Amino acid sequence: MHLDELHDRKYRQVFEDTCRFVIQQKSSNPNFTLEDLEYLLDTAYMRAGNDWVGRGAVGDILNSAAIAAYEHMRAEWRKEQQRGTQKKI
């Protein structure tokens, strides 16, 4: 298997695992809020900017996938909120 394929596979795995984590938190933890998700996203962005230990290509892939997943889940959550607001009108 080519290195790029391994990187793509790892990216998809982390993206999917992170999305599942957020979904699980939303469904089982009533204290998990959109603000908590945004905190996780902010933390991932901070990690992306803190490369002082030289995490390398794999670390960059892991963090990029997590950021993409958090961004995706935040957008989905906001859509849900919009649909909920529109139904009440």
Side-chain angles (χ1 to χ4, degrees):
M1 184 173 289
H2 193 266
L3 186 58
D4 286 340
E5 292 175 50
L6 290 172
H7 287 172
D8 289 344
R9 181 181 288 178
K10 190 63 177 174
Y11 181 96
R12 282 191 309 274
Q13 176 189 1
V14 171
F15 181 91
E16 291 169 4
D17 289 348
T18 303
C19 287
R20 272 193 294 276
F21 167 76
V22 172
I23 291 166
Q24 186 271 328
Q25 286 296 308
K26 275 184 69 177
S27 66
S28 67
N29 181 354
N31 296 318
F32 187 76
T33 65
L34 180 57
E35 290 77 23
D36 294 321
L37 175 57
E38 289 173 337
Y39 176 79
L40 293 171
L41 177 60
D42 290 344
T43 301
Y45 274 120
M46 284 192 312
R47 271 194 313 272
N50 293 335
D51 191 20
W52 59 271
V53 293
R55 74 181 150 256
V58 173
D60 288 341
I61 289 167
L62 300 177
N63 204 53
S64 293
I67 288 171
Y70 290 141
E71 290 277 7
H72 171 74
M73 295 307 298
R74 180 176 67 174
E76 292 299 312
W77 199 327
R78 287 179 174 168
K79 285 180 195 174
E80 288 174 17
Q81 288 179 330
Q82 287 293 328
R83 285 191 296 266
T85 302
Q86 291 171 354
K87 288 179 184 176
K88 293 177 184 175
I89 295 176

